[in-house]
Amino acid sequence: MLEQPYISLIIIGYLFKAAGLLMRESLWLRIFLGIGIAFDFVFFIVQSPFVSLDVLANLALFAINLALIAVLIWERSTWGMTKTERVAFTTFKTLSPGQFRQINRKARWTMAPADTVLLREDEPAQKLFFLETKGFSITKQGETYEAKGPAFLGEIMMMQGGGASATVTVPKGAIYAEWHTADLHRMMKKSRALDNALAARFGHDMADKLRNSVPIRAGE
């Protein structure tokens, strides 16, 4: 069999596929498998007589693999995002572009027409908010604080239930996104990676709120 013409194509193809299977990174695994399949495809094309069934089978496998490579690259890039989406994505930190696109499909983006109360102290809410604004106010037990954005609102209620810990007001012109928490819970149950990424992001956000909140003195 080793004396057959072009047998080296099959051998090289096997080596590429074996190398791909040894890789833990899914994109490179797909790339090496694709190269290996391409060598098999060429081998069957140059055979005499032409091996049509094997050519079609390898062509189908190559096309499927190429489509999955495209999906992996798309999920890791910001291609196709609007300028607003790119700015928002940079603040999500722990999410991949694909994970951001996944939750963004469920988001409702709004520009506040006037100073708007999004959460009221001790009142439950079934929404999570993301504020793409430089500042907003937090009122808790009668004391008001200025907080810096971007920031999430309602993440504690989403993760632990109960009412809002404070009243939160965004200024006129503030841009914010809102999600129904039930939608996010369903997505997080389906994907452990998304669940971990959002939990990590909420942890960062709560730490930022504690660090950046500044009390407003009477008369200011």
Side-chain angles (χ1 to χ4, degrees):
M1 183 176 180
L2 292 177
E3 296 178 357
Q4 273 190 354
Y6 310 114
I7 193 65
S8 60
L9 293 171
I10 284 288
I11 295 172
I12 295 171
Y14 280 142
L15 290 175
F16 270 105
K17 285 184 280 188
L21 292 173
L22 291 173
M23 294 183 178
R24 300 180 64 180
E25 213 290 320
S26 57
L27 179 58
W28 284 108
L29 184 154
R30 290 287 176 185
I31 290 172
F32 273 73
L33 283 179
I35 295 172
I37 293 170
F39 273 97
D40 291 350
F41 175 75
V42 173
F43 172 79
F44 290 115
I45 278 184
V46 298
Q47 293 304 298
S48 181
F50 182 75
V51 189
S52 59
L53 184 59
D54 287 313
V55 168
L56 292 174
N58 279 279
L59 182 61
L61 290 175
F62 184 82
I64 293 169
N65 196 63
L66 187 63
L68 290 172
I69 289 174
V71 168
L72 288 172
I73 293 174
W74 174 260
E75 289 181 344
R76 299 178 186 198
S77 74
T78 58
W79 294 348
M81 288 187 189
T82 65
K83 183 178 180 180
T84 299
E85 289 171 342
R86 286 195 180 98
V87 171
F89 169 67
T90 61
T91 66
F92 275 73
K93 300 178 182 178
T94 60
L95 273 67
S96 69
Q99 290 170 332
F100 173 75
R101 286 191 180 94
Q102 185 180 355
I103 67 168
N104 193 48
R105 285 194 289 269
K106 296 289 186 180
R108 177 176 176 267
W109 288 88
T110 305
M111 177 181 287
D115 290 359
T116 304
V117 176
L118 298 181
L119 296 176
R120 294 188 183 277
E121 189 173 1
D122 296 327
E123 291 184 8
Q126 301 302 316
K127 290 183 178 180
L128 173 76
F129 298 91
F130 174 74
L131 309 183
E132 194 178 298
T133 181
K134 292 183 179 179
F136 58 99
S137 64
I138 299 173
T139 302
K140 185 172 184 177
Q141 296 179 350
E143 190 169 12
T144 300
Y145 300 80
E146 281 295 327
K148 295 180 181 179
F152 285 98
L153 301 177
E155 68 273 28
I156 297 176
M157 284 186 293
M158 176 179 166
M159 304 301 289
Q160 300 179 1
S165 59
T167 297
V168 180
T169 305
V170 295
K172 179 181 178 179
I175 296 174
Y176 61 93
E178 60 183 273
W179 293 264
H180 289 287
T181 55
D183 291 336
L184 290 177
H185 279 304
R186 280 193 291 269
M187 287 190 288
M188 292 167 73
K189 285 180 180 179
K190 291 179 181 178
S191 172
R192 177 59 64 85
L194 179 61
D195 188 1
N196 292 337
L198 283 175
R201 182 61 189 92
F202 294 156
H204 284 303
D205 186 73
M206 286 185 281
D208 289 341
K209 284 178 182 174
L210 290 174
R211 183 170 56 251
N212 295 328
S213 295
V214 179
I216 300 176
R217 295 173 184 171
E220 291 185 347

